[in-house]
Amino acid sequence: MAPPTPPTPSVSAPIMDLETFSSTSTTRLQALYSDFSRQKASNPTSYQANVEWWRKALETIVSSGFQDEHGSIYGKKQGSGKSRLVLHANATLLDQVKIPRVGKPLALGAVLSELHASHSFYPLAEFTSLKSSIYSTHSLPIRIASYVVGKPLWWALEQMGIVGEEGILGSSTRDHHKGTAWHGDYVIITLAAKAAETIQEMQRDIVAGPSDSLYSFESFRKTFGVSLDTSGAPLSELDAKVLLKFLERDRGVLVYDNDVVKFVDEDAPAEDRIITPVDRGILELKSAVQNMHTLVNSLQEKIDQCTRQASEALQKERKPLALSYIRSRKTLQEVLSKRLGSLATLESTLVTVETAAGDVEIMKSYESSTATLKSILSHPSLQRENVDKTMEALAEANADAREIDDAVRVGADVALGVEDNVDESEIEAEWAEMVKQLGKEKEEEEGQAEREKLGAAELRTPQELPQDGRKTPEKVSVLST
């Protein structure tokens, strides 16, 4: 039987529009909003359950855009739009999640410290400054303390404030969540990983040529804005930078340098993980083509607008105004014709450059294949003398195998009493004689059956009577008997 659904709290607050909060009872919310940080030692199970609830709640707050829609000023300061990957933890967040008759979360600092310690949330500055992947092994001091010093002693030192969860010189969670020490921006790794996976899938469907793997920072924002379900809006500057760092350092699927983004294979060698002058040239051509398309579309819209305005002026019998619109349309059409010519030239040049770049990659493959083939052919085993020796040895081995097989077969025949040197022609003659004899026996059997059949038919046929109707003597004798 399914557990009963918790009653919906009878409170009114913007945060209650989120399912994570609306599906939680008032009593449970009061426990979650209390200072439960002391339960870490006394009741670790309840403590971890509360931290896990807040992890999901904070992910929902960020991924839904709630923090920017209800008073966050971070996006306005940066002018970068709403962030769907970074939590802005500060006094404003406490006001956003405040619930009447429940209050503000008193243990939010402790929760963020725990999520940081478990590497679910990363402070933004730390995330962007890390050189190695966040999935790599953590620092050596922590590993030494975990395996040499031991967990019990480590826990005791942490309670005394000598060591912390972040390292030997770090501050403990108990101190970190006090005051405003926990304020800051936190990258939520699960959300970043989900968006990165979507971007990788989109890129796999896009790639058709060298230019499809190259983006400027702005085109990256526009192309992959849908990865965060932002209703067609580009990625915020902050989210774009977070994703570029995550995809480059932690997924290894792109390189980013000076406003140039280049997607590469995950197992690409180091020499392919650089942005070359050729890449920059291709990207410039690609950007020029995209800008020219935008300009052409703008000119066409202006031409359509002049046409509509001229038609409206003509209906209102405003001939001078209509002529003015027609004149403007003609000028725009001339400009459009020139821009279309430029666009055709740029697109042709881009195709030529992409083809040449593709030829370079093909030649690299040919060179690599040639070197591989030469390396294989230079192996001592493939030298002519070794090949001849090997084939002769193989022929001798096959001959020996045939001799052994014949010897085994003859030995088996002797063991079974089968005579040697059987003449196959005699066997064939005996077979033919058997077939001939079988044919004769079959003919005799068929003749005998036919004779028996005729004899039975004579017994059943009545004798012919004379013309006067009297029976023959033979027949009368038979009847008398």
Side-chain angles (χ1 to χ4, degrees), residues 80-119:
S80 58
K82 301 174 182 177
S83 175
R84 301 296 180 91
L85 301 176
V86 179
L87 173 70
H88 311 310
N90 46 36
T92 303
L93 178 63
L94 293 177
D95 293 333
Q96 291 172 344
V97 299
K98 180 180 179 181
I99 299 176
R101 298 196 300 276
V102 176
K104 298 180 181 180
L106 301 179
L108 189 56
V111 169
L112 291 173
S113 262
E114 285 294 327
L115 295 176
H116 179 206
S118 64
H119 305 287

Side-chain angles (χ1 to χ4, degrees), residues 314-330:
L314 183 61
Q315 291 176 358
K316 297 178 181 179
E317 298 182 354
R318 297 177 180 178
K319 182 177 179 180
L321 188 59
L323 292 175
S324 175
Y325 288 134
I326 293 173
R327 192 177 296 108
S328 298
R329 183 182 67 178
K330 185 174 181 61

Side-chain angles (χ1 to χ4, degrees), residues 463 465 470-481:
Q463 297 289 334
L465 297 177
R470 291 178 298 176
K471 298 180 180 179
T472 60
E474 293 80 6
K475 190 66 178 179
V476 171
S477 176
V478 173
L479 293 174
S480 300
T481 305

Side-chain angles (χ1 to χ4, degrees), residues 32-37 47 54 104-112 177:
L32 291 166
Y33 272 60
S34 65
D35 186 6
F36 56 82
S37 59
Y47 178 81
W54 272 110
K104 298 180 181 180
L106 301 179
L108 189 56
V111 169
L112 291 173
H177 77 270

Side-chain angles (χ1 to χ4, degrees), residues 432-459:
E433 185 64 26
M434 291 176 63
V435 172
K436 184 177 179 181
Q437 184 65 27
L438 182 62
K440 289 181 179 180
E441 293 177 356
K442 186 175 181 181
E443 289 178 357
E444 291 178 357
E445 290 178 357
E446 291 178 352
Q448 182 65 25
E450 186 66 25
R451 287 192 296 271
E452 291 177 356
K453 184 178 179 180
L454 292 175
E458 289 179 358
L459 291 176

